[in-house]
Amino acid sequence: MKTSDFYFDLPQELIAQDPLEDRSSSRLLVLGKEDGSISHHHFRDILGYLREGDCLVLNNTKVIPARLYGTREGTGAMIEVLLLKRRENNIWETLVKPGKKAKPGTNILFGDGVLTGEVVDIVEEGNRLIQFTYEGVFEEILDRLGQMPLPPYITHELKDRNRYQTVYAKHDGSAAAPTAGLHFTPELLDEVRAHGVRIAEVTLHVGLGTFRPVKVEDVTQHHMHSEFYMIDEQAARIINETKQQGGRVICVGTTSCRTIESAVDENGYLQPCSGWTEIFIYPGYQFRILDGLITNFHLPESTLLMLVSALAGKEHVMAAYEEAVKEQYRFFSFGDAMLII
């Protein structure tokens, strides 16, 4: 299986630059995973495809303002730091630009010295480990100095940083939003519950590894970066009961999908647990617990496109993407949605 098998031509103007004023007014393409059938709707119409007894799985991670701009001590040179993963003792794994100016021992000043960072090591793929020093609460300083880490294909300024959060975001830790969930409003979630659909919340802190380009032509040789996830007893119980009672488990986003598929045992039983996952789902993968997926439209040749192709079949998915381009759907993080059922 080749990476190039997942290429499609996307006109630049279809990349959504701004979120819609009403989250639930985005468009929704419904794809039948068995027969490849396609129909066009708006996101709020999703209620018509959910049944009493189903379960929606939400990823309640919260995006932190992880992009920091600082200056190198001594030279005043500008340095951009993107927080990727919290380690111990105020040490974070980071992506630094320009990396050549961030050798071990380099000190970086942020916000006139309110926050300082020392590069202590260089790790996988040139990422830097930075130890931060500050007075007060790190999250409060980050909230004041940091910017939301929007993907590089979004060039417009985000006026309201809450629009890059789901309405159910709770646990700080992501370097990117679980964007399929951006379409839900509190009112729509209330309607989902009133419809008899149960909701289970899991947590996966989204790292940039999810979005890194696949640089090998043989898909099976790609290595996913690890991401931290948590599933509590309540979520595991709701999901397990749904399966036992004949309901469908429908994940909101590829991150929710990867979370539960990482924690399910060989008997299809979900365990409450936490840990790190490097699961890579591509065609040929046998889903053990997931029945349906709500997701956005993904980049060509991406691991996310490979995941949805594993669920609905590459031919069905690529045909749906061709249709979405023809119908001028909005793509990527602030774009429209797809329901695979």
Side-chain angles (χ1 to χ4, degrees):
M1 190 183 315
K2 297 180 180 178
T3 300
S4 54
D5 292 339
F6 297 90
Y7 177 80
F8 65 94
D9 190 35
L10 180 69
Q12 191 78 11
E13 62 270 18
L14 295 186
I15 300 174
Q17 292 295 324
D18 303 288
L20 297 178
E21 189 170 338
D22 174 8
R23 290 174 182 256
S24 63
S25 66
S26 54
R27 295 168 73 190
L28 177 71
L29 186 151
V30 178
L31 173 64
K33 64 180 181 180
E34 303 299 337
D35 61 4
S37 60
I38 295 171
S39 57
H40 304 286
H41 310 269
H42 285 93
F43 192 80
R44 64 177 71 92
D45 301 330
I46 201 159
L47 281 173
Y49 289 90
L50 302 177
R51 303 178 196 146
E52 183 178 355
D54 286 345
C55 172
L56 276 188
V57 183
L58 311 180
N59 180 8
N60 62 16
T61 188
K62 191 172 186 179
V63 186
I64 59 174
R67 181 169 276 122
L68 291 163
Y69 293 95
T71 56
R72 184 179 175 190
E73 189 177 55
T75 68
M78 290 292 298
I79 291 184
E80 177 187 336
V81 174
L82 184 63
L83 305 180
L84 299 178
K85 192 183 300 180
R86 188 194 291 267
R87 300 286 187 95
E88 67 290 327
N89 302 322
N90 292 319
I91 294 175
W92 283 76
E93 184 176 339
T94 68
L95 185 64
V96 178
K97 295 180 183 178
K100 62 184 178 182
K101 293 185 182 294
K103 296 174 181 174
T106 300
N107 288 308
I108 306 169
L109 307 179
F110 305 93
D112 297 323
V114 171
L115 178 67
T116 62
E118 180 188 357
V119 179
V120 295
D121 201 1
I122 300 175
V123 292
E124 186 182 4
E125 296 199 5
N127 291 348
R128 267 58 176 175
L129 295 185
I130 295 181
Q131 183 161 34
F132 288 99
T133 306
Y134 54 90
E135 289 187 8
V137 179
F138 182 76
E139 286 75 15
E140 292 178 359
I141 295 170
L142 193 61
D143 199 50
R144 194 161 80 246
L145 300 181
Q147 296 183 14
M148 290 305 252
L150 295 178
Y153 50 74
I154 295 178
T155 57
H156 290 190
E157 181 184 350
L158 182 63
K159 295 182 173 64
D160 178 4
R161 64 167 59 177
N162 285 325
R163 294 309 308 274
Y164 196 57
Q165 301 279 19
T166 63
V167 297
Y168 46 81
K170 289 179 183 172
H171 301 296
D172 287 332
S174 273
T179 54
L182 296 178
H183 305 283
F184 282 100
T185 63
E187 296 77 15
L188 184 55
L189 285 171
D190 286 343
E191 290 183 55
V192 168
R193 293 185 184 94
H195 200 64
V197 176
R198 303 179 77 180
I199 290 179
E201 294 188 14
V202 300
T203 305
L204 181 136
H205 292 320
V206 188
L208 292 189
T210 301
F211 306 100
R212 283 186 188 275
V214 179
K215 295 179 179 178
V216 291
E217 182 61 1
D218 180 355
V219 167
T220 63
Q221 299 305 304
H222 178 71
H223 174 68
M224 294 285 283
H225 288 239
S226 62
E227 295 170 311
F228 183 75
Y229 72 91
M230 298 180 290
I231 301 174
D232 64 21
E233 289 188 15
Q234 181 183 16
R237 177 175 51 78
I238 291 172
I239 293 168
N240 288 330
E241 287 177 357
T242 298
K243 295 295 283 189
Q244 290 161 5
Q245 295 164 9
R248 299 174 300 175
V249 172
I250 300 167
C251 283
V252 178
T254 56
T255 60
S256 300
C257 164
R258 293 176 64 244
T259 301
I260 65 171
E261 288 292 323
S262 295
V264 66
D265 66 20
E266 62 274 9
N267 300 314
Y269 192 79
L270 191 65
Q271 305 289 343
C273 59
S274 63
W276 297 86
T277 180
E278 297 177 351
I279 190 171
F280 178 24
I281 297 174
Y282 53 88
Y285 179 86
Q286 296 297 312
F287 289 89
R288 291 180 287 176
I289 196 163
L290 174 116
D291 298 299
L293 180 68
I294 298 168
T295 187
N296 278 19
F297 290 93
H298 304 297
L299 276 74
E301 300 184 332
S302 64
T303 60
L304 305 177
L305 183 55
M306 294 170 190
L307 185 153
V308 297
S309 296
L311 180 60
K314 185 173 76 71
E315 290 75 17
H316 290 164
V317 168
M318 299 308 284
Y321 270 59
E322 185 178 342
E323 175 82 358
V325 169
K326 188 179 81 172
E327 294 295 324
Q328 305 246 294
Y329 274 69
R330 301 165 74 248
F331 275 68
F332 306 160
S333 295
F334 287 141
D336 295 317
M338 173 188 281
L339 168 64
I340 301 174
I341 202 74

